[in-house]
Amino acid sequence: MNLPNKLIMLKKYVLGCCLLFIIVIVSALCKFTKEEFAKKENNIEKGEGFVTLIFKKFPDQINQGKGLKSNVISFFDEENLQIRDVLVLNFVENDTIFFHVEKEKYFQYYLSNGNDIRINSLYNFQRGDTIIVDFLNGIPDINIRNRVKGNFESNYSINLNIDAPIEPIVFRNRFGRNRTKEESEVYLKERDEYYNKIYKQLDSLKRKNVLSDRSYQLLYYNIYYSQINVDRGGYQFKTIADSHLKQDELLILGSYRFFLENFVQYAYNVKVPEPKVPFVVDYKDAFDKVMNSNDFSTRIKDYLLIYYFKAIISEGSTKEDAIYYFKQLQESLFNKQVLLKLKEEYIILLDGNTYDEEGALLIDAYGNEIKLNDLLKLNNGKIILIDFWASWCGPCLEMMPYSKQLKSDLINYDIVFVYVSIDSNITLWKNVSKKIGLDEVEYNFLAKNYPESKFYRDINLKSIPRYIIYDRKGKIVTLNAPNPNSDSLRKILTKL
């Protein structure tokens, strides 16, 4: 996975095609193996104050994709005005996730196998719900165990039984080419017919009282803003009614949030660094223009400023940029409480201190610091494998079970496994580390001076996962070792 600009570009590309945000913030979660699943399924609920989601292991048809696999359940954090995306790690085994819910929460589930399966579904889950997520022909099949009614809404995308036209990116992945001009005209006609069928179906279900008023409203606007987003290049955003920019209650919808981004880009003529990649904008320019705008409601303006601030950091901004734009947030945000949470999450970038720019400086979950060179000296005489990863990196997380298995298999060898995350968000790193069990290993660190350190430039750390091996004298054996799911890495380590 290329970083950091490639990550932003990929995220926006997927958004443009699938109409869903992808940023990766993960809660501390619990996991169950396939063998344990049948035994614990009936006793796994955490309590009435939670929503429990039990994801069954991916079927083979989803895992066969050759591109990026995305498997995210997303919700809008209304208190902190941020999108919270939780990675579902059911690539090799079942995964169970708990969410604390006051009353109810709307979730969007985005699933892609990087090939021909792309799902973006909206769900309403309520306090005390236990949900079994299975997969039917590649589509999530939702069963709310504790509810007699409500499963129709939960499986809305299945129950509608309306075939959607093949999206351009899926068409390209499936057939290895873009549509011809004639095929594109047919696609546009089919897409309009598809949306019209959905609107009619929604109206019919509303009249029959199958859908609640709230679900009807959200599903309707989800489709409405999705249409605008699909046509964003030719849509006249400058003529849009002011009321569209003040619908605070729709911030829970990914399609509405993406619509707001598109409005900022096209109505304010935000700079685009690479014209060939129009979905990646200059986030600093977008931040500045939103800050000086009076078009939005107070809550939506706060949300957009926070979103662009986090996008600036995700681009790989310097500490100076992070501090500058955080000060702009302090002066501009109406909701000052959010600032405390942001400062806690990005404390490494915002503390104002400078660090050793020659070597790599690492920090553990308790705040203890150590230089990588000192760690090498501490383990002199042993082989060291460093695993560079990040909480938002799907391929990194997919490799973690194999890495842990390799570590277990080679326990009798003098091999030290060191895990180094390049996350900028310390809270996110801690939460994901706990989910995947890295909080229990001896050497699990956050890179405190990434990417400023000369060390990271010297090793050209521009993509992850990345594995580096040091020999028993602390000398680099390879800067780009094979993935832990390969026999090659095992052979290299056992022969040193």
Side-chain angles (χ1 to χ4, degrees):
M1 180 174 290
N2 296 327
L3 31 128
N5 290 333
K6 292 293 185 182
L7 176 67
I8 295 293
M9 291 168 63
L10 178 59
K11 174 190 169 190
K12 295 291 287 184
Y13 183 64
V14 171
L15 282 173
C17 299
C18 302
L19 313 172
L20 181 67
F21 294 103
I22 297 182
I23 304 170
V24 189
I25 293 185
V26 184
S27 303
L29 314 169
C30 296
K31 185 184 293 183
F32 294 84
T33 66
K34 184 175 182 179
E35 292 74 17
E36 292 173 314
F37 187 81
K39 300 178 187 176
K40 297 192 177 185
E41 189 181 63
N42 293 321
N43 300 303
I44 200 172
E45 294 90 341
K46 193 164 184 176
E48 292 185 357
F50 290 81
V51 164
T52 303
L53 285 161
I54 304 172
F55 289 83
K56 290 193 175 182
K57 180 183 175 297
F58 266 157
D60 290 340
Q61 72 179 110
I62 296 179
N63 261 335
Q64 286 174 354
K66 295 181 180 179
L68 174 69
K69 293 176 183 146
S70 296
N71 190 21
V72 175
I73 189 158
S74 172
F75 67 93
F76 184 68
D77 181 347
E78 298 191 56
E79 181 179 357
N80 293 295
L81 299 179
Q82 299 176 54
I83 307 103
R84 303 299 188 188
D85 288 349
V86 179
L87 276 166
V88 183
L89 300 182
N90 60 339
F91 295 107
V92 296
E93 60 186 11
N94 302 310
D95 194 13
T96 298
I97 302 174
F98 300 114
F99 292 99
H100 183 267
V101 175
E102 292 296 332
K103 184 178 180 182
E104 66 176 4
K105 194 176 291 291
Y106 283 84
F107 294 87
Q108 286 188 270
Y109 184 34
Y110 175 72
L111 171 65
S112 170
N113 70 343
N115 189 19
D116 59 354
I117 294 177
R118 289 181 177 275
I119 304 297
N120 173 14
S121 299
L122 178 68
Y123 303 110
N124 168 254
F125 298 139
Q126 300 173 10
R127 182 183 177 95
D129 278 350
T130 297
I131 301 101
I132 310 298
V133 185
D134 207 340
F135 300 90
L136 180 65
N137 297 323
I139 298 177
D141 184 17
I142 307 297
N143 177 29
I144 304 179
R145 285 177 34 188
N146 54 297
R147 282 200 239 168
V148 177
K149 297 182 179 180
N151 282 319
F152 184 95
E153 291 187 22
S154 298
N155 287 305
Y156 177 77
S157 57
I158 295 177
N159 292 327
L160 267 183
N161 197 28
I162 299 176
D163 292 331
I166 301 175
E167 295 179 21
I169 187 172
V170 176
F171 183 94
R172 186 164 55 251
N173 289 336
R174 187 176 297 176
F175 300 106
R177 65 177 179 84
N178 293 323
R179 284 186 172 94
T180 64
K181 181 180 179 180
E182 292 75 16
E183 288 172 332
S184 295
E185 291 175 353
V186 172
Y187 164 72
L188 292 175
K189 182 178 179 181
E190 290 177 344
R191 193 190 67 193
D192 290 341
E193 291 175 351
Y194 167 72
Y195 285 130
N196 289 332
K197 287 179 181 179
I198 290 181
Y199 285 128
K200 290 179 180 179
Q201 182 75 292
L202 284 175
D203 290 339
S204 174
L205 293 172
K206 178 66 169 60
R207 287 194 300 270
K208 295 176 182 178
N209 293 321
V210 176
L211 289 178
S212 66
D213 291 343
R214 179 62 168 158
S215 291
Y216 172 83
Q217 178 194 39
L218 291 176
L219 289 168
Y220 178 90
Y221 280 117
N222 194 44
I223 296 298
Y224 177 80
Y225 287 109
S226 293
Q227 284 185 276
I228 294 177
N229 293 332
V230 168
D231 297 328
R232 61 192 179 279
Y235 192 82
Q236 299 299 314
F237 283 95
K238 292 183 179 180
T239 63
I240 201 162
D242 291 345
S243 59
H244 286 280
L245 309 177
K246 305 179 189 298
Q247 302 203 65
D248 295 0
E249 71 281 3
L250 296 184
L251 278 171
I252 62 175
L253 294 178
S255 58
Y256 181 64
R257 297 192 300 268
F258 189 32
F259 157 77
L260 293 171
E261 286 184 67
N262 286 322
F263 175 85
V264 171
Q265 177 179 351
Y266 293 101
Y268 297 161
N269 295 318
V270 172
K271 298 175 184 176
V272 177
E274 295 290 340
K276 293 182 179 180
V277 192
F279 42 80
V280 179
V281 302
D282 183 330
Y283 296 109
K284 295 176 182 177
D285 187 37
F287 182 100
D288 293 340
K289 286 177 176 174
V290 170
M291 186 175 63
N292 294 317
S293 171
N294 294 317
D295 291 333
F296 307 99
S297 69
T298 299
R299 185 172 176 81
I300 288 176
K301 183 173 182 177
D302 277 2
Y303 159 72
L304 286 170
L305 288 173
I306 293 168
Y307 171 78
Y308 288 121
F309 169 75
K310 296 181 74 170
I312 290 168
I313 290 180
S314 296
E315 279 190 311
S317 62
T318 63
K319 287 176 67 71
E320 290 76 13
D321 279 342
I323 292 171
Y324 171 80
Y325 281 98
F326 187 74
K327 287 182 178 178
Q328 297 299 305
L329 274 182
Q330 289 177 311
E331 296 175 1
S332 303
L333 279 190
F334 179 80
N335 187 344
K336 302 298 184 184
Q337 181 179 346
V338 179
L339 294 168
L340 298 176
K341 186 70 173 178
L342 285 172
K343 190 167 186 178
E344 176 186 329
E345 292 177 353
Y346 296 104
I347 185 62
I348 290 178
L349 284 172
L350 299 175
D351 65 3
N353 295 325
T354 56
Y355 301 102
D356 177 15
E357 293 191 2
E358 289 293 323
L361 182 63
L362 311 175
I363 184 172
D364 67 17
Y366 302 99
N368 302 310
E369 297 179 1
I370 186 171
K371 293 182 179 179
L372 177 58
N373 287 338
D374 292 337
L375 185 66
L376 295 175
K377 293 176 184 177
L378 188 64
N379 290 280
N380 186 45
K382 298 180 181 180
I383 300 162
I384 295 178
L385 172 66
I386 299 182
D387 179 342
F388 290 99
W389 67 288
S391 62
W392 41 259
C393 173
C396 301
L397 298 176
E398 193 174 352
M399 286 296 106
M400 280 300 175
Y402 301 102
S403 179
K404 291 168 69 176
Q405 184 61 52
L406 182 64
K407 184 175 185 291
S408 176
D409 292 346
L410 302 182
I411 193 171
N412 294 323
Y413 291 78
D414 284 333
I415 301 174
V416 177
F417 285 71
V418 179
Y419 300 90
V420 178
S421 168
I422 60 170
D423 274 291
S424 56
N425 187 321
I426 192 169
T427 302
L428 176 56
W429 165 64
K430 288 180 179 180
N431 288 342
V432 178
S433 292
K434 187 172 182 179
K435 174 178 173 63
I436 61 180
L438 289 187
D439 60 324
E440 300 175 355
V441 304
E442 183 177 7
Y443 295 132
N444 178 38
F445 300 105
L446 187 68
K448 193 166 185 178
N449 59 348
Y450 175 85
E452 293 88 359
S453 170
K454 182 176 179 294
F455 168 79
Y456 297 110
R457 295 195 296 274
D458 289 345
I459 66 172
N460 196 31
L461 186 62
K462 294 182 178 180
S463 65
I464 53 176
R466 175 84 172 274
Y467 307 94
I468 295 179
I469 299 175
Y470 288 83
D471 66 15
R472 299 179 189 276
K473 295 182 180 180
K475 302 296 183 182
I476 292 176
V477 175
T478 175
L479 284 172
N480 197 9
N483 287 346
N485 64 339
S486 69
D487 291 334
S488 301
L489 180 59
R490 185 185 299 264
K491 290 177 182 178
I492 293 173
L493 292 171
T494 54
K495 286 182 180 181
L496 288 175

